[in-house]
Amino acid sequence: MSVSSQGLRGGILVSTAGVFGSAFLWLLSFKVVALWMGPEGVGLFSQLRQMAQAATVGATFGGTNSVVQGLSERAEEVARRRFRATAVRLVGSAGLLVVLGILAAATPLTQFFLSSGAPELVATVRWLAVAVLLNIAGTYAMAVLNGYRSYPYLALAQTAGPAALVLLLTAAWWWHWQSDPALLAVSFVVCFGVSCLAGWVGLSRIPRPEVSVKAGRLDPGERSIFLRFALSNLVAALSTTLALLLIRSWVIEAQGLAFAGLFDAGWTLTFNYTTLFLTACSAIYLPLLTRATTHESQRACMLKTAYLVLAGSVMVCYSMVLLKTPLIHLLYSPEFQPSGQVLVVLVVAVILRSISWVYGSMILATRNSRVLLLSDLALNLGLLAAVKFALTHYASLPALAWAFVLPNFLYLVFVVEYAGHKNHLMLRRQIWPLLLTAVLPLVVLALAAPALVRDWTALHWICFAAGPVVAAACLLSYKKVVL
């Protein structure tokens, strides 16, 4: 199934608009919670969201990737409907088990992830189970819309729920509703419910075959292949989600909800929204990379994406560091000023993460289940070890942020080497010089920040000048690659 350049360009624009719209609305929701409940509220809101995400990832076999790839590699509608019939049964069964598990284990889950056994928090987790059920259904619907390249309805589903969330939270803040934790969980129910409804409306608009056909299910061989890949994708994605969930629970236990809220403000402005953007880019990038059957086309697809992503990441990250104080005041409140210490470090990890996503997608495209599983497990175990060390020996916001840099750097080294091993046209010199030039000035600023924070020096201007230079070099490199 070919994709015209005009259609592809339109799909990229709509998909990007959907993701940026969703990210902006989630950002507004954090702003409202910050004004309404302060750092402690942001810490709780973030942890509840992470819990819902972990449960959804578990029930959907790693998110949308398995379904998107399964639909993308099947051109015939009959084959696609067989795949959907199998996928919806698996996701539905897994989702029901996950939700029942949350309801049954609400008390121990609350004690473990929120470091409290308060009845109101237990009730909050039970409400969260309803939100998870809706999020599972909505995630499956968006995966199918992605696989069919129904980008307008995908964008609608991505933005409708967060818009409803912002409206509800704004009403709670404006009318000074009581700061009830259960209300945060109810807001997730509204958010995921609206997204689910919009997603399934989009599914109903997918063109049906002119002649009625009996879809049936995948045959045992195809089902086995899908399950093997989906389970590997599940373990890889779930290891990341659970690692972040466990890290937040450690932070809450060691330093409290307020400290967790301050860290999460810096995390949300950097890592969280970068992850959302890259997930949206996969709607275009992963299907294209999967269909790249030659080394030349694979190289062109990866390098073009890498140069664009690096250029965008550099400009955004340098701008955030330059404007961190007004940005935090605007998007949160002056109470969150210490979050700037987190932001100036995490931007380094964000740039590394962005490029490792581009190169690491080759593992997904080639469906190398073993490498996918082992590499993600190694990354997240390294991350957990680094965070535990930072909390035990330093317990400061900058130290916690630096704990994310080293594991992401090591993972990037691995995926670049993996891409070169699979495709001899992928050379180290095509990415490392630009990447190191992009991150080293930020590292210098982060390390020198305590001594130079009061005054602008020549070092500041030299470091910030590197950003536009690297971005321009990336765009020039992008134009030289022929897709």
Side-chain angles (χ1 to χ4, degrees), residues 210-233:
E210 295 182 2
V211 180
S212 178
V213 294
K214 185 177 180 181
R217 305 183 195 179
L218 295 177
D219 61 54
E222 288 181 305
R223 187 163 60 249
S224 176
I225 294 172
F226 168 67
L227 272 176
R228 187 164 55 249
F229 176 69
L231 288 173
S232 298
N233 191 47

Side-chain angles (χ1 to χ4, degrees), residues 29-44:
S29 72
F30 276 94
K31 168 71 174 180
V32 178
V33 173
L35 293 173
W36 178 33
M37 302 176 72
E40 288 192 5
V42 170
L44 178 60

Side-chain angles (χ1 to χ4, degrees), residues 225-249:
I225 294 172
F226 168 67
L227 272 176
R228 187 164 55 249
F229 176 69
L231 288 173
S232 298
N233 191 47
L234 165 65
V235 175
L238 195 58
S239 68
T240 300
T241 307
L242 288 178
L244 295 176
L245 187 57
L246 187 57
I247 286 169
R248 282 191 171 95
S249 69

Side-chain angles (χ1 to χ4, degrees), residues 49-133:
R49 185 185 178 197
Q50 191 68 35
M51 292 169 69
Q53 184 179 356
T56 302
V57 166
T60 55
F61 295 90
T64 60
N65 282 339
S66 298
V67 174
V68 171
Q69 184 166 23
L71 291 172
S72 297
E73 66 185 7
R74 289 169 171 83
E76 299 295 329
E77 183 61 24
V78 174
R80 286 185 162 191
R81 290 191 174 269
R82 286 176 181 163
F83 175 82
R84 286 172 57 186
T86 298
V88 75
R89 286 180 176 88
L90 291 172
V91 171
S93 301
L96 186 60
L97 290 174
V98 167
V99 170
L100 291 176
I102 294 174
L103 291 172
T107 300
L109 287 174
T110 304
Q111 292 172 339
F112 185 80
F113 290 117
L114 299 177
S115 299
S116 173
E120 60 271 20
L121 290 178
V122 175
T124 298
V125 171
R126 290 198 174 102
W127 272 109
L128 194 66
V130 180
V132 167
L133 181 64

Side-chain angles (χ1 to χ4, degrees), residues 150-174:
S150 184
Y151 296 121
Y153 284 106
L154 176 61
L156 175 63
Q158 289 169 328
T159 55
L165 174 69
V166 171
L167 290 176
L168 177 58
L169 292 175
T170 302
W173 166 64
W174 185 261

Side-chain angles (χ1 to χ4, degrees), residues 330-354:
L330 174 65
L331 299 177
Y332 287 88
S333 72
E335 285 184 274
F336 289 81
Q337 183 63 35
S339 299
Q341 303 171 60
V342 178
L343 188 148
V344 297
V345 177
L346 284 185
V347 289
V348 177
V350 160
I351 294 176
L352 300 175
R353 170 70 184 128
S354 299

